[in-house]
């Protein structure tokens, strides 16, 4: 018998149940915490819904815990807030254009209230239950093939609503990290790397976590 546990925010709970046509829900597990204490990703079980489970990303936009590398400044916080706003827009407007060869979770809904927001996503655990702590060469090639398929799908697309420039090498948005680079040669070449990436002929959308 399922023991019901209320979601912390009752308004989001109501939205989740309406979105999934469920009568009740339960948090099964916390999959992981978000970077620097900005929330968590959890798996929820649904009752009386055509969907068994969903993954919910709960984002708290309040100033979070101490950054593991000491970069919990206002600039870093503002960048993170914008990053989550863009992520939500990605799932709403760009997600469905990914090919089956670059599978990502389907977007089911999003809700925001005050300084908190939630993204409801398809749970891919049923189709892809395996987790790897280490991978061999053939598995590395599978990962690279996924990235190649993803990059090809968005080649020369204009990233409307997304970051105009992505990756950690976009130095205009990371002056604090640049100043903390200790390797002198790398620091001397950092702006050249940034310029080289920005001027590449083949531009595409990149996956930040990759």
């Amino acid at each position: 018998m399922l023991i019901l546990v209320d979601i912390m925010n009752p308004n989001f709970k109501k939205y989740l149940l309406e979105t999934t046509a469920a009568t009740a829900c339960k948090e099964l597990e916390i999959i992981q915490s978000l970077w620097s204490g900005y929330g968590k990703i959890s798996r929820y079980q649904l009752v009386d819904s055509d969907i068994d489970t969903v993954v919910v990303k709960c984002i708290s936009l309040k100033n979070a815990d101490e950054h593991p590398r000491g970069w919990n400044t206002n600039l870093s916080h503002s960048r993170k807030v914008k990053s989550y706003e863009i992520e939500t827009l990605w799932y709403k407007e760009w997600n469905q254009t990914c090919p089956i060869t670059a599978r990502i979770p389907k977007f089911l809904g999003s809700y925001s209230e005050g300084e908190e927001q939630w993204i409801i996503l398809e749970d891919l655990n049923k189709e892809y239950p395996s987790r790897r702590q280490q991978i061999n060469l053939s598995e590395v090639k599978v990962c690279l093939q996924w990235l190649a398929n993803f990059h090809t799908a968005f080649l020369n697309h204009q990233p409307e609503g997304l970051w105009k420039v992505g990756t950690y090498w976009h130095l205009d948005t990371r002056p604090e990290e640049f100043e903390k680079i200790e390797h002198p040669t790398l620091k001397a070449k950092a702006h050249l790397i940034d310029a080289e990436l920005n001027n590449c002929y083949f531009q595409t959308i990149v996956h930040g976590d990759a």
Side-chain angles (χ1 to χ4, degrees), residues 116-168:
E116 292 187 308
Q117 63 187 59
W118 296 260
I119 304 174
I120 307 170
L121 299 171
E122 173 190 14
D123 185 3
L124 292 180
N125 197 55
K126 186 175 181 179
E127 291 183 55
Y128 305 98
S130 179
R131 300 293 181 271
R132 296 285 194 268
Q133 299 301 318
Q134 294 181 321
I135 56 177
N136 58 37
L137 181 58
S138 63
E139 291 164 335
V140 169
K141 290 180 179 179
V142 172
C143 297
L144 293 176
Q145 185 63 60
W146 186 97
L147 284 169
N149 294 334
F150 183 87
H151 293 158
T152 300
F154 297 105
L155 196 63
N156 291 329
H157 280 58
Q158 293 299 317
E160 295 181 12
L162 308 179
W163 291 109
K164 298 300 181 184
V165 181
T167 82
Y168 285 95

Side-chain angles (χ1 to χ4, degrees), residues 29 31 95 111 120 138 178:
E29 63 176 323
I31 299 172
N95 178 342
Y111 181 83
I120 307 170
S138 63
F178 172 75

Side-chain angles (χ1 to χ4, degrees), residues 16 26 28 32 43 61 65 74 97 121 141 187-188:
L16 174 60
K26 174 188 177 182
L28 293 178
Q32 72 178 67
R43 177 170 287 109
L61 299 179
D65 300 336
N74 288 335
T97 61
L121 299 171
K141 290 180 179 179
K187 191 168 187 176

